Structure formats: C-alpha cells, structure tokens
Amino acid sequence: LSFTWVEDDPKKNIRVNKQFQRSEASDEDNDNDTRWQLKDFAWHPQIRVRNILEQDDLLTEDWMRVRPSNSSSSSKNQGLREGNISKETWYNDYSNSNQPMQITQFMKRKFTLSEAFELHKFPVDLQSLHIQLGSSWDCTKVALNFNDDVPSAMDPNPLDSQEWELHSPRLIAYDKDPRKDDLPLLSLSSQSVTGAVYPKAYIALTASRKPQFYLWNIYVMLFLLG
C-alpha cells in the first residue's frame, strides 16, 4: 500500500541533520538511498488499516520517499520510484528553498481481514471485500482519497478457487460517486471519547461466486435423485 500527500512548507516537517546525512551518503544501494523513515518527519497522516483480524508482524515494514511536487514528477508516465530524492539531496538542494515536496508512505503488510458476507442471492451472490483505511488524525486534519495518476493494481491470478472469482478493486472515497450500499466515509462522533470524527476510505475487491459448483453438486444431484 502507498499513500501520498503534498507538503507546501516541508522545512517545518522534514528533520534531517548534516551529520546524519553524511553517513547515509555512503550507501551504494540507490533504492535504499532514497528511503526515508517515519522519524524523519515531524508530521505524517498516520494511515491505518482498520479491519484487520490478525497480522504477520514479521512482514510489516514502513518507509517513505520524497520528491519535488511538480507536473513532471507526478505525471502518469512516471512510477512512484521515479524522481525520488535522497536525504543528502534534500539537505543540499532543497532544505533552504520553498519548493513543495510530494511525500509517499509505503506500507508492506500481510494480514487477514474480517468481512460479513451477504448471502441473500446465494449461489449467484457477489461479495464486496473491503480494506478499510483510516487515519489517527480527525477529518479536520486529514481527508482520504485515491490518486488517479497512480492507479491501484491487483495480481491477475490472485485466487485459485473453483468457488470464487476476484475482480478489479473499486476505490471508495469522498470524491468518488457513491453507491447506496457503500460503507460510511466518516466515523460517528459517539465512537470517539473526544467526539472527533475520523475519515475513512476503502479498497473494495469484488468476489463473485461461481454457481456451477453448487448447481452441479446440489441441484443436479437432487434432480437425478428425485
């Protein structure tokens, strides 16, 4: 998962000192050289996946990348790794400028999510499997939406099952056209001790049940036995 925001005044948020940067400059791995850590920032959106049932902590990893915020670096033809700068480049070339910065947080997770199934149309039912995203900041500080320049992708062969077929994910946020059955995009004030309202966004995978399995094994067999 990756989450991007723009810092209009990054000097107030990015914390890099010269001594720390000199040790980083010796890194021969260019990919790691542009990796930043959460501690390098005074503020970040604190994105969380909310509906996790269990998580493999051994595979949990977070890192950040920084690049100048301009039309060329955020074009659709550039990947998230293009145009990223190291801490050395930031310290030498940008720390005294007013150049806005685009900051992306990357999260590597392996988790099991909980979801209630709707079985009214079984065995030709569709299930929306949601990854619920939220922030530790309330909606006065953070609004969550999806970047159309960097579309979400899914493994074309994610599931080997005779019962289910997965389809492309649908992104649910405040700037997308809602459906009647979409989950709420704001928490209830009654759910917070302080009465704060928190933003939500969802990645919804659609799983369609393959009815052939049930039609053959149940209905056809019942017909033959009858």
Side-chain angles (χ1 to χ4, degrees), residues 3-150:
F3 308 94
T4 302
W5 73 98
V6 174
E7 283 286 352
D8 293 325
D9 189 4
K11 295 193 295 294
K12 293 182 178 180
N13 188 30
I14 296 179
R15 302 181 289 197
V16 177
N17 60 66
K18 191 173 183 180
Q19 182 179 4
F20 181 82
Q21 183 49 52
R22 282 177 176 172
S23 64
E24 284 289 309
S26 63
D27 194 337
E28 296 179 358
D29 189 336
N30 292 330
D31 184 59
N32 286 337
D33 192 45
T34 60
R35 281 198 179 199
W36 297 56
Q37 303 302 317
L38 296 179
K39 65 182 181 181
D40 296 323
F41 301 89
W43 183 93
H44 62 85
Q46 300 185 23
I47 302 296
R48 303 288 187 268
V49 180
R50 294 297 189 187
N51 56 328
I52 293 179
L53 191 62
E54 59 182 42
Q55 177 172 290
D56 188 343
D57 293 333
L58 295 178
L59 295 178
T60 297
E61 190 177 2
D62 290 90
W63 69 95
M64 320 285 274
R65 296 195 190 277
V66 177
R67 64 183 179 188
S69 176
N70 52 51
S71 58
S72 61
S73 65
S74 60
S75 67
K76 293 184 178 182
N77 295 327
Q78 281 193 305
L80 287 175
R81 294 180 183 274
E82 297 295 328
N84 296 315
I85 63 174
S86 65
K87 298 176 188 176
E88 180 182 19
T89 302
W90 156 258
Y91 188 89
N92 293 331
D93 300 339
Y94 293 99
S95 59
N96 293 320
S97 73
N98 294 319
Q99 170 70 52
M101 289 287 157
Q102 182 172 301
I103 303 173
T104 303
Q105 177 182 353
F106 295 83
M107 297 170 58
K108 181 180 179 181
R109 299 286 189 273
K110 181 180 180 181
F111 44 64
T112 301
L113 303 174
S114 61
E115 183 79 28
F117 273 29
E118 294 289 342
L119 301 175
H120 296 86
K121 297 182 180 180
F122 177 88
V124 291
D125 49 319
L126 294 174
Q127 305 294 339
S128 292
L129 309 177
H130 296 89
I131 300 175
Q132 180 181 323
L133 306 173
S135 172
S136 297
W137 296 97
D138 64 38
C139 63
T140 65
K141 303 292 184 181
V142 170
L144 302 178
N145 66 350
F146 295 95
N147 185 358
D148 294 331
D149 291 343
V150 187

Side-chain angles (χ1 to χ4, degrees), residues 133-172:
L133 306 173
S135 172
S136 297
W137 296 97
D138 64 38
C139 63
T140 65
K141 303 292 184 181
V142 170
L144 302 178
N145 66 350
F146 295 95
N147 185 358
D148 294 331
D149 291 343
V150 187
S152 298
M154 187 178 69
D155 186 338
N157 301 299
L159 186 66
D160 183 15
S161 171
Q162 63 177 339
E163 186 178 356
W164 294 98
E165 181 179 359
L166 280 182
H167 305 273
S168 298
R170 190 168 66 90
L171 306 179
I172 305 173

